[in-house]
Amino acid sequence: MVILATNKIRKIYGELENDSYTIALDKVDLTINKGDFIAIMGPSGSGKSTLLNVLSGIDKPTSGEVTIAGEKLNDLSGDDLALFRRKQLGFVFQDFNLLDSLTVKENIILPMVLEKKSGNIINERVEELASLFGIETILQKYPYTISGGQQQRTAVSRALVNEPNIILADEPTGNLDSKSSEIIMECFEKVVNELSTTVLLVTHDVFAASYCHKVVFLKDGSVHSSITRSGRRKAFLEQIIDCQAVLGGRNSVF
Amino acid sequence: MSFNLIVMKMAKANYKKYTFYVLCNSLAVMLFFIFSTLYFNADIVQGEEADSIKYALGIPSITLVLFTVFFISQAHGIFIKKRKSEFGLFMILGMTNRDLGKLLLLENGIIAAISITLGLLCGTLSSRLAFFLLLNYMGLSGVSYQLSADMFLSTITIFLVVFLIAVGRTLFLLFNQDINLTLKSDRVSETIKMKNPVLGMVGVLIIISSILGVFITYTGPNGGDYLIIWTVFIFMGLYLALNQFTSSVINFIKKDDAHYYPRMVPLSNLDYKFKQLTSTLMLVSVMIMVTVLYNTILLFTYTDEKERLMNMNPYDIAFIQSEHHNNLTEEELYAIVDQDENPIEQHITLPVYTFFEKYHDMNWGQFYHVMSDREFSKLRSTTIALEDKEFIYYLNHEAHHNTEGYVFGFHFPAENENEGNYIHVDTIVERNLNHLSNDFVIVNQAEFERIKENREDGFESTIHLINVVHWDETAGVVDELKEIFTTANESSPSISGINGEESPEKFLFQVESKADAYQMNMNINGLSFFVFSFLSILFLFGSFVILYLNIFSTIDKERVKYSKLTKIGLTGHETKRMIAKELAPLFFTPVITGVVLSFLFIVAMATDVGGVVQNPEIMVNFIVVAGIYLLMQVGFYLYSRKKMVSKVIL
Ligand SMILES: Nc1ncnc2c1ncn2[C@@H]1O[C@H](COP(=O)(O)OP(=O)(O)OP(=O)(O)O)[C@@H](O)[C@H]1O
Ligand SMILES: [Mg+2]
């Protein structure tokens, strides 16, 4: 079942008449099915963040269409778009994006509170997610007292709390050490395998990408190539490193 | 590049931060200067009511000094906070403490100079305007706008002292603290660590018991002294309560998820805002309390006194005429009083026979008048008829005064053997005519004629009672009348044998008018009223600015917070609602606290005059003053909310 589809989206920054414009995305076609676990990779400036912003409706494409769960994002605007986002999409950010004044639990339940869900449902959901990601013991703590990995797991829980169709993550391991990255990627695996939620993430980190089922490479705003994982993670990792070399991006950290 | 050049370059790059800081300091200078134009105004502090006004200005001036201290140190704090990251960078780049100190002193020196100049300039202009508007509006004469060296000196001194302390403190911290530590001093985390709902409850308890204390002790012998002690306690309690208020609320509301969850974000935000802004909120509460309290008291004394003076003068103009005093023919009198645009409506003349009785051993005495029952009845709704040899003591005075057992200072009838004794049948105490000479003996018409015929120790005189169409336009007429009388009376023979400025005749033949009573009240209470209206505007404005600055100094953080919330799907509409929910308590808690506290003080103080229930005017005045304050604050709140929304939603 197709969850997300794009149809020749272009994103141009600046005025076309001027010389100073940038084509950040150039006719990108992307189809994502339910339960997919996809990484988007590419050199810096290749348009990864722009793509994610367009997919989530934060940015409007210059032309082309984005369809999520049958709904055309172009048709939505303002508050409707915000409502759609919080019901259908979950976000995970590089800098976690947690509110300092709220506890871990409060941060997680925030999207449900906005949806005016009842207290019981909220509490049940938090317990479920917290035990899934191993953060039961820190629920009453404040974000600045827990580790980056724990903060990101909190953010993942928050992204999932409203049972979205798809989770979008921009460099979710960008601020984490390798051990925490591993834990986060395992969390995403659980999201896909146990909750059968679709995950789309943008990353520079080949190691993180190797957890995914498919990697799409962007170059200069368009899809350059994509590879699908068929066997073990280790082999997939090698494959990704090779592709990156072909792409001419920076080399792996290994 | 020289050191000074670097500073110049930085100032240019950071002009916004500097402008903000300079404006805050100028504002502090300006407010203080405006206050000093009142405090050092010779007309106000050297006039008749100087002592009471100076006394009344005591608490407000302490509040204002506190305010200035707060305001300047806060503006400085905000400025330094914004610059700290730069300082940190300089230090990492190898700038020494000495250099940094020099830089700080230099730029703060320039800022102080500009602020003082700008503040004094604006202060002079706006105080001039305020004086002009208020004096005109209140029709107050006898006060003029003045400038004196004291005003400038005191303003500059206080500003410099506070400013230097603030700068000194920053320098000290800079030299003695790890810069990394100072850089991170503004975390939400710190305030969250201070959560202590129990302390909040303790604060509320302190407030309640102090207020009870006020009620119990205020009417006692040392009421005034106790009041100050209780006030100090109330402020302490207020600090704790404000500091922990939301923590207590959250603690309470958290018990029920259904109530807590929907208010989670604003409540937790308020929790740290209240902790961060405790001193500010406290200051604003106190300022509001002082203003509302003083204005209510003043408005009350003003209206109460006005009413009393008006009641003392039932007729617009009144005076006593005798052969040698105040003697005008009817034509002459009418030529002065009966104006085309304000004609006489009523003119009562009461013939009386007036005695003077000198007190034993004293250079003073008293006049009393004999009046016939027929004339007396003209003044009242019920008629009185007396038999021969009967008399009534009549005291022209408000009836509610306790006259039980009132002893007249004179002896009637005078011990004159051949007249026989008069029988005292009644004593009447009521206000029927203006506050002239107030002691009367009422006899019947025949007796009155007889006394007039036979006695020689008194003299015939006439009481004139005049009503015109508009009493409030008689000030000129009254003045003219008084002048003519004074000149004419100079050559009159003495009655009492007591001469000089304060002779009993002077009082007897005074013109008593509504216009004078009104003006007297205006002069005494109007001046205080003027001073406090002036202060109220100052305080209201000051309290708004300090709140506004504090709230908006952290606007960057707010923006980050709301952008985070937007990213997880908060709609524009919800953002607005949330901003409203977070701002409203910050604006209204101090107003409500201030108003409630002043209300309780008023209730406690009103026990002196019989309680608020007996004096509904106090309540009316309180509601008017508090209402105006609340309304203004609503305006400020709406403005700030709009501003906040426009700054946060991009
Ligand atoms: N708001 C903007 N205005 C103008 N140009 C922009 C804007 N945002 C991005 N661009 C340009 O669009 C192109 C794609 O940017 P994008 O941020 O999507 O790259 P990226 O793949 O996420 O890079 P990185 O890996 O460094 O995050 C870049 O050339 C960038 O300069
Ligand atoms: Mg990016």
Side-chain angles (χ1 to χ4, degrees), chain B residues 153-173:
Chain B
L153 280 180
S154 64
T155 309
I156 293 173
T157 313
I158 290 208
F159 172 74
L160 280 183
V161 168
V162 177
F163 190 77
L164 284 179
I165 291 174
V167 174
R169 190 175 154 269
T170 306
L171 281 175
F172 179 82
L173 288 180

Side-chain angles (χ1 to χ4, degrees), chain A residues 221-249:
Chain A
S222 38
V223 177
H224 177 271
S225 57
S226 66
I227 47 174
T228 310
R229 175 171 160 188
S230 47
R232 289 163 47 89
R233 196 165 63 81
K234 189 87 179 134
F236 193 45
L237 180 64
E238 304 282 320
Q239 221 183 330
I240 299 169
I241 293 171
D242 290 344
C243 277
Q244 255 203 339
V246 173
L247 209 64

Side-chain angles (χ1 to χ4, degrees), chain B residues 36 181 219 348 481 523:
Chain B
S36 70
L181 208 82
T219 42
I348 301 174
L481 210 56
N523 284 346

Side-chain angles (χ1 to χ4, degrees), chain A residues 58 78-80 82-83 85-86 91 93 95 97-103 105-107 109-111 113-114 116-119 122-123 140 142 144 158, chain B residues 187-190 192-193 195 254 257-258 260-265 268-269 272 560-574 577-578:
Chain A
I58 291 174
D79 283 359
D80 288 337
L83 288 173
R85 287 218 311 269
R86 94 177 170 220
F91 292 93
F93 306 90
D95 57 358
N97 207 17
L98 300 174
L99 293 186
D100 278 344
S101 58
L102 297 182
T103 61
K105 178 181 175 184
E106 289 164 356
N107 264 293
I109 65 175
L110 195 51
V113 168
L114 293 177
K116 301 191 174 62
K117 298 264 171 65
S118 86
I122 291 179
N123 291 338
Q140 297 311 324
Y142 285 90
Y144 49 86
R158 180 181 64 188
Chain B
R187 287 292 301 229
V188 180
S189 53
E190 287 192 355
I192 288 173
K193 273 189 214 129
K195 271 189 187 167
K254 231 177 189 167
D257 291 344
Y260 177 61
Y261 287 160
R263 298 168 181 81
M264 189 173 79
V265 178
S268 63
N269 193 48
Y272 91 86
V560 170
K561 185 184 90 187
Y562 282 106
S563 92
K564 282 179 181 175
L565 284 166
T566 310
K567 279 183 189 165
I568 63 167
L570 191 75
T571 66
H573 187 69
E574 285 164 339
R577 262 219 319 263
M578 205 174 266

Side-chain angles (χ1 to χ4, degrees), chain B residues 29-243:
Chain B
V29 172
M30 180 178 125
L31 291 183
F32 204 84
F33 182 75
I34 294 177
F35 179 73
S36 70
T37 57
L38 263 190
Y39 198 80
F40 291 107
N41 185 301
D43 293 337
I44 293 174
V45 292
Q46 282 162 25
E48 284 169 49
E49 293 301 305
D51 282 346
S52 70
I53 286 187
K54 263 221 157 125
Y55 177 75
L57 278 177
I59 290 179
S61 42
I62 294 172
T63 318
L64 197 79
V65 171
L66 263 178
F67 172 80
T68 319
V69 172
F70 248 81
F71 195 68
I72 295 174
S73 46
Q74 275 196 336
H76 182 77
I78 292 168
F79 174 69
I80 289 297
K81 206 157 72 189
K82 284 184 178 169
R83 302 230 37 208
K84 255 181 196 162
S85 50
E86 278 171 29
F87 290 162
L89 190 69
F90 289 154
M91 283 179 127
I92 289 163
L93 290 177
M95 203 176 203
T96 62
N97 276 347
R98 238 181 87 86
D99 292 337
L100 214 55
K102 254 164 77 185
L103 175 77
L104 241 164
L105 278 180
L106 185 68
E107 61 181 26
N108 276 293
I110 296 172
I111 285 165
I114 299 176
S115 308
I116 289 175
T117 320
L118 201 68
L120 289 181
L121 205 76
C122 297
T124 313
L125 292 177
S126 45
S127 62
R128 168 136 234 161
L129 184 73
F131 260 81
F132 174 75
L133 290 178
L134 276 175
L135 289 178
N136 252 12
Y137 175 70
M138 300 175 109
L140 209 61
S141 57
V143 177
S144 62
Y145 180 68
Q146 300 162 355
L147 286 178
S148 73
D150 280 350
M151 299 171 184
F152 289 98
L153 280 180
S154 64
T155 309
I156 293 173
T157 313
I158 290 208
F159 172 74
L160 280 183
V161 168
V162 177
F163 190 77
L164 284 179
I165 291 174
V167 174
R169 190 175 154 269
T170 306
L171 281 175
F172 179 82
L173 288 180
L174 208 61
F175 293 165
N176 292 292
Q177 233 182 31
D178 180 10
I179 190 80
N180 275 325
L181 208 82
T182 35
L183 277 178
K184 286 181 188 153
S185 62
D186 187 43
R187 287 292 301 229
V188 180
S189 53
E190 287 192 355
T191 54
I192 288 173
K193 273 189 214 129
M194 305 187 319
K195 271 189 187 167
N196 196 339
V198 179
L199 267 186
M201 295 319 289
V202 170
V204 172
L205 279 180
I206 292 180
I207 296 179
I208 293 175
S209 39
S210 310
I211 287 166
L212 286 178
V214 173
F215 276 89
I216 294 162
T217 56
Y218 185 70
T219 42
N222 295 325
D225 301 338
Y226 283 123
L227 194 65
I228 292 173
I229 297 172
W230 292 127
T231 312
V232 170
F233 272 111
I234 287 179
F235 289 168
M236 273 164 43
L238 187 60
Y239 188 90
L240 285 180
L242 282 176
N243 194 252

Side-chain angles (χ1 to χ4, degrees), chain A residues 41-58:
Chain A
M41 297 193 77
S44 188
S46 56
K48 305 182 295 292
S49 297
T50 309
L51 177 63
L52 216 59
N53 286 344
V54 169
L55 293 185
S56 61
I58 291 174

Side-chain angles (χ1 to χ4, degrees), chain A residues 29-72:
Chain A
D29 285 322
L30 206 63
T31 308
I32 297 173
N33 293 312
K34 190 168 168 56
D36 273 354
F37 187 12
I38 298 177
I40 294 175
M41 297 193 77
S44 188
S46 56
K48 305 182 295 292
S49 297
T50 309
L51 177 63
L52 216 59
N53 286 344
V54 169
L55 293 185
S56 61
I58 291 174
D59 255 345
K60 281 218 174 300
T62 312
S63 64
E65 234 166 38
V66 180
T67 314
I68 297 178
E71 189 101 36
K72 286 188 176 138

Side-chain angles (χ1 to χ4, degrees), chain A residues 36-237:
Chain A
D36 273 354
F37 187 12
I38 298 177
I40 294 175
M41 297 193 77
S44 188
S46 56
K48 305 182 295 292
S49 297
T50 309
L51 177 63
L52 216 59
N53 286 344
V54 169
L55 293 185
S56 61
I58 291 174
D59 255 345
K60 281 218 174 300
T62 312
S63 64
E65 234 166 38
V66 180
T67 314
I68 297 178
E71 189 101 36
K72 286 188 176 138
L73 289 194
N74 285 10
D75 298 345
L76 297 170
S77 64
D79 283 359
D80 288 337
L81 194 62
L83 288 173
F84 175 78
R85 287 218 311 269
R86 94 177 170 220
K87 285 188 181 124
Q88 304 289 343
L89 309 178
F91 292 93
V92 178
F93 306 90
Q94 182 173 358
D95 57 358
F96 321 132
N97 207 17
L98 300 174
L99 293 186
D100 278 344
S101 58
L102 297 182
T103 61
V104 166
K105 178 181 175 184
E106 289 164 356
N107 264 293
I108 294 175
I109 65 175
L110 195 51
M112 289 185 98
V113 168
L114 293 177
E115 281 297 298
K116 301 191 174 62
K117 298 264 171 65
S118 86
N120 291 337
I121 298 178
I122 291 179
N123 291 338
E124 268 170 37
R125 183 75 180 151
V126 178
E127 271 162 39
E128 192 183 322
L129 289 170
S131 74
L132 184 63
F133 298 130
I135 49 172
E136 304 102 313
T137 53
I138 55 163
L139 282 180
Q140 297 311 324
K141 293 194 170 175
Y142 285 90
Y144 49 86
T145 62
I146 59 176
S147 74
Q150 289 169 324
Q151 289 191 47
Q152 196 61 299
R153 274 182 277 164
T154 304
V156 174
S157 309
R158 180 181 64 188
L160 282 164
V161 84
N162 270 343
E163 305 183 35
N165 274 312
I166 183 164
I167 289 210
L168 303 171
D170 194 355
E171 311 233 16
T173 60
N175 278 355
L176 300 177
D177 59 55
S178 54
K179 181 69 198 144
S180 301
S181 299
E182 210 178 311
I183 297 173
I184 285 299
M185 291 317 294
E186 278 162 11
C187 285
F188 279 121
E189 265 184 335
K190 281 187 194 166
V191 171
V192 176
N193 296 338
E194 293 176 28
L195 306 175
S196 52
T197 302
T198 316
V199 172
L200 174 69
L201 55 88
V202 162
T203 183
H204 275 122
D205 180 358
V206 282
F207 177 74
S210 69
Y211 277 84
C212 299
H213 301 162
K214 184 178 171 184
V215 176
V216 176
F217 290 96
L218 280 189
K219 190 179 184 180
D220 299 332
S222 38
V223 177
H224 177 271
S225 57
S226 66
I227 47 174
T228 310
R229 175 171 160 188
S230 47
R232 289 163 47 89
R233 196 165 63 81
K234 189 87 179 134
F236 193 45
L237 180 64

